[in-house]
Amino acid sequence: MTPPVHPHTPRVAVACGCTLGEEVVWDARDGSLLWVDIENPAIWRHWPATGKTVRLPLDEKIGFAVLTPDPDRVVAGFKSGVAALRLSDGSRTPLVRPDDYPAGNRLNSGNAGPDGWLYFGSMDDAEEAETGGFHRWDGARVETFGSRAAVTNGPVVSPDGRRVYTIDTANGIVQVHALNDGRIGEARPLIRFEEGWGKPDGLTLDAEHHLWICHYGAGRITRFDPDGHVAYVVPMPTPLVTKCAFGGDDLSTLYVTTCLRGRDPTLEPMAGHLYKVETGFRGFPANLLALPQT
């Protein structure tokens, strides 16, 4: 059975031309979007209501920036480790990094769980060796869970705090872990990407607990039901789709980051920008990281 296909074309929200745009998040406190460019290191911010856009250049690769109770402070994942960063001036304070962290690794995707803890991934910067992993930081210690992978995405905790989703991007596997009384269970394969689907990249969840997963290399986003079955498809106008998040006043606008890496912008002018599309579905507000002040 052919799944429903979204009838509307995603539009460019910000023509940012990111080399590797990732980890978009909606900050409902001031109606802004925040995302990163990993390979041309920067944090981008955009306010749709006014059209204002700000780019904060950085001096090393950044994989994610997670909101905290202080609107000017994010917790970010750099190649060198996790750090607290001030958006107003770019100053940062190192916080932590995984114990087993080879020199060739960097941090990739990161999210705050409903418990206020940081869930994040590490990966081989060359995207070859299976030296990456999945981690959780409660503000005191880093716990590593799941199996090793060359390229990780997630972890994302379900809004009810009962499941953790992780992605082994290189092997095309989306996994789910039970989360009981703070204990993360073993990974169970939920979705295996088929030939022609590209690779599973960033994901988010909607209010019906369906997964929205970006297809890197295949130019689409798929909505999967909680059992891993295809429920809905959103075609994208560029193939390297990296991360999506719900935003807007009612959390029904899907914002999507894309990638320009290895593409010629004169031949593929749609690559690398931030997109938006109205979906008819709603997401959840982003969690804030409840970590010690620095």
Side-chain angles (χ1 to χ4, degrees):
M1 178 178 174
T2 302
V5 176
H6 194 62
H8 303 297
T9 301
R11 303 295 183 185
V12 174
V14 180
C16 49
C18 288
T19 304
L20 180 50
E22 271 283 8
E23 295 302 292
V24 62
V25 62
W26 174 260
D27 190 342
R29 295 170 295 187
D30 66 350
S32 67
L33 292 152
L34 184 150
W35 69 100
V36 305
D37 186 343
I38 296 175
E39 295 192 352
N40 184 15
I43 291 179
W44 287 79
R45 300 172 75 194
H46 176 69
W47 290 260
T50 65
K52 179 182 178 181
T53 303
V54 174
R55 178 182 182 271
L56 175 66
L58 300 166
D59 60 2
E60 68 170 305
K61 289 184 177 181
I62 177 171
F64 60 83
V66 178
L67 304 178
T68 74
D70 180 350
D72 186 47
R73 180 179 183 255
V74 295
V75 169
F78 291 94
K79 183 173 174 59
S80 58
V82 177
L85 181 141
R86 291 284 174 190
L87 296 172
S88 54
D89 60 12
S91 62
R92 66 182 190 254
T93 304
L95 295 173
V96 73
R97 70 178 187 176
D99 292 333
D100 185 8
Y101 191 65
N105 274 20
R106 68 169 174 85
L107 301 186
N108 197 32
S109 180
N111 301 272
D115 52 14
W117 296 355
L118 178 65
Y119 294 76
F120 65 102
S122 58
M123 60 172 277
D124 176 29
D125 202 9
E127 303 183 14
E128 296 174 352
E130 292 190 343
T131 56
F134 303 102
H135 316 282
R136 177 174 65 177
W137 184 46
D138 62 4
R141 60 180 290 269
V142 176
E143 172 189 359
T144 297
F145 63 94
S147 58
R148 290 291 186 179
V151 181
T152 63
N153 271 283
V156 173
V157 183
S158 62
D160 61 9
R162 298 174 59 187
R163 294 171 301 283
V164 181
Y165 296 98
T166 58
I167 294 180
D168 179 342
T169 294
N171 289 314
I173 302 173
V174 181
Q175 304 161 125
V176 61
H177 310 245
L179 182 55
N180 295 310
D181 297 324
R183 295 187 298 272
I184 301 173
E186 294 297 316
R188 175 175 63 84
L190 180 66
I191 302 162
R192 295 183 184 274
F193 265 43
E194 300 176 7
E195 185 176 354
W197 281 18
K199 296 293 186 181
D201 205 319
L203 76 152
T204 193
L205 280 83
D206 65 24
E208 299 174 15
H209 295 265
H210 284 53
L211 289 76
W212 296 68
I213 300 178
C214 296
H215 293 240
Y216 187 89
R220 77 191 226 199
I221 300 165
T222 298
R223 181 181 190 247
F224 294 90
D225 70 22
D227 294 322
H229 303 121
V230 175
Y232 200 75
V233 174
V234 179
M236 291 290 296
T238 185
L240 305 183
V241 188
T242 55
K243 175 68 176 181
C244 58
F246 287 96
D249 292 341
D250 62 356
L251 295 174
S252 67
T253 303
L254 192 68
Y255 289 94
V256 187
T257 52
T258 62
C259 176
L260 183 57
R261 180 173 63 176
R263 327 298 282 195
D264 183 341
T266 62
L267 299 177
E268 297 187 40
M270 305 302 284
H273 305 311
L274 179 75
Y275 286 83
K276 67 177 181 179
V277 61
E278 297 298 330
T279 64
F281 301 94
R282 293 188 178 185
F284 288 94
N287 298 308
L288 301 180
L289 213 56
L291 295 178
Q293 296 294 313
T294 59

